[in-house]
Amino acid sequence: MTARNSYKDAVLFIAMVTAEVTNVGLNILFKAATNKGMSYYVFTFYSYALTTLVLLPLPFIFRSRTPLPSMKFSLISRIFLLGLVGSLSQIAGYQGIAYGSPTLASLISNLNPAFTFTLAIIFRMEKLVLKSKSTQAKIMGTVVSISGAMLVVLYKGPVLLTSGSPSSSSSLRSVLTTLASSPSNWIIGGLLLTVENLLKSIWFIIQTQITRMYPSEFVIVLLYSFCATIVTAPLCYMAEPNLSAYILKPDIGLASILYSGFFGLTLAVVVHTFGLRMKGPVYTAIFRPLSIFIAAFMSFIFLGDALYLGSVLGAVIICVGFYAVIWGKANEGDAGFTASDDKTPLLQSHKVEDTLV
């Protein structure tokens, strides 16, 4: 049993890292697509619609070994709320990337563990013992992470490194330089990305509760994507009423949507859902800081993104806070739910068989 659990933990770890890599790739593709004139509202709608189609056969392929409970109104309402929160998070995130950059998005994503930890305490998913060193480390780490993120948003500083790659087109580099040189765009992008990560943390909390109520991850992610598509359809149309914008052409915009539907958004939703049920929201959130190094490298190589002093200092501070939270979690000796038993009134705990093998 121990060997089997270790195998599952290793598979989940690799899946979480892979999801972060594909997410950074998606952000870079999206940035390139918006630089070519694609609307982020169009991208969001098509991404969720394609993700729903890709996920459609999975519940039939990976059938649950145990009888599933009936769909009740309380569960359906939570899934619809999940779709609303998730779609708003995506819209805010893509707007933030459009104003800022994929690197900025990865830096601000380090707020996600801090937000998730705070919400997990509020919803009694994490222990809070003020006299404990682990609790003190997690609280201090949360404060430090938020401070580092604010430094990234409010202070850009001088350029430390720029790309001299001749492969980058002059027009693309011009757009990136314009965005990077505008303090207002930088701040707006940072604030939108902060909102995205707060909503993402709320998504983690709701999704964790849903997976405890209904032990079929593929059914949940399919219904979530379907609800998100229904939510984004009117929202995106009101924000982007020009129907010609929804006509896709064989360019980088179409490539980014296909990547999102088959790899980016689909993989992230599935992997995060498994991670939330197996390990809890804080474990799932702690992988977000990996995107810093991935995004900085990929943006520098492929997009010619500049690296600023404020981003470097903020990243260092955020990572210090992040690892303080991780140290606190490790010394607490519990990587997942710490209050998912019968004493927790906010969650309904169900014993289910692990389906990630």
Side-chain angles (χ1 to χ4, degrees), residues 17 78 168 201 206 262 274 282 303 338:
V17 174
R78 282 179 172 85
S168 299
S201 296
I206 300 173
F262 285 97
F274 274 104
V282 175
L303 288 182
T338 57

Side-chain angles (χ1 to χ4, degrees), residues 187-199:
I187 293 175
I188 292 173
L191 292 176
L192 285 170
L193 290 166
T194 301
V195 171
E196 178 213 4
N197 282 279
L198 176 59
L199 291 174

Side-chain angles (χ1 to χ4, degrees), residues 63 105 126 282 292 307 309 335:
R63 292 179 179 271
E126 285 288 320
V282 175
I292 286 182
L307 190 62
L309 177 62

Side-chain angles (χ1 to χ4, degrees), residues 129 132-139 324-325 327-329 331-332:
V129 182
S132 170
K133 290 184 178 180
S134 61
T135 299
Q136 293 172 1
K138 290 186 288 186
I139 293 176
V325 174
W327 183 89
K329 286 291 297 178
N331 283 270
E332 188 181 54

Side-chain angles (χ1 to χ4, degrees), residues 2-187:
T2 302
R4 183 183 179 186
N5 289 338
S6 298
Y7 171 74
K8 289 182 178 181
D9 289 344
V11 172
L12 179 61
F13 178 86
I14 294 173
M16 294 294 297
V17 174
T18 303
E20 288 303 317
V21 173
T22 56
N23 184 62
V24 173
L26 175 60
N27 288 344
I28 293 177
L29 275 176
F30 167 78
K31 180 69 175 181
T34 54
N35 286 336
K36 295 295 184 179
M38 185 175 189
S39 168
Y40 33 77
Y41 297 109
V42 173
F43 176 85
T44 302
F45 169 71
Y46 277 123
S47 293
Y48 273 117
L50 182 57
T51 298
T52 302
L53 293 177
V54 172
L55 292 173
L56 185 59
L58 296 186
F60 302 97
I61 298 175
F62 302 97
R63 292 179 179 271
S64 176
R65 298 177 182 178
T66 58
L68 296 175
S70 59
M71 282 280 182
K72 297 181 180 180
F73 177 77
S74 59
L75 177 62
I76 296 176
S77 62
R78 282 179 172 85
I79 294 177
F80 184 82
L81 177 62
L82 190 72
L84 177 62
V85 172
S87 58
L88 291 178
S89 173
Q90 291 292 328
I91 291 174
Y94 290 137
Q95 284 182 320
I97 295 173
Y99 277 105
S101 69
T103 302
L104 179 63
S106 297
L107 290 168
I108 300 298
S109 71
N110 287 271
L111 277 176
N112 190 253
F115 286 148
T116 305
F117 170 65
T118 303
L119 290 173
I121 292 176
I122 295 174
F123 286 91
R124 303 180 186 180
M125 297 180 183
E126 285 288 320
K127 293 178 181 178
L128 183 61
V129 182
L130 295 179
K131 295 182 179 180
S132 170
K133 290 184 178 180
S134 61
T135 299
Q136 293 172 1
K138 290 186 288 186
I139 293 176
M140 289 300 299
T142 300
V143 174
V144 171
S145 295
I146 295 175
S147 301
M150 291 301 100
L151 177 63
V152 173
V153 174
L154 300 176
Y155 175 69
K156 185 167 59 175
V159 176
L160 296 181
L161 195 62
T162 57
S163 174
S165 173
S167 60
S168 299
S169 66
S170 58
S171 59
L172 176 58
R173 191 153 37 202
S174 175
V175 174
L176 288 170
T177 303
T178 302
L179 287 174
S181 62
S182 173
S184 60
N185 283 337
W186 191 259
I187 293 175

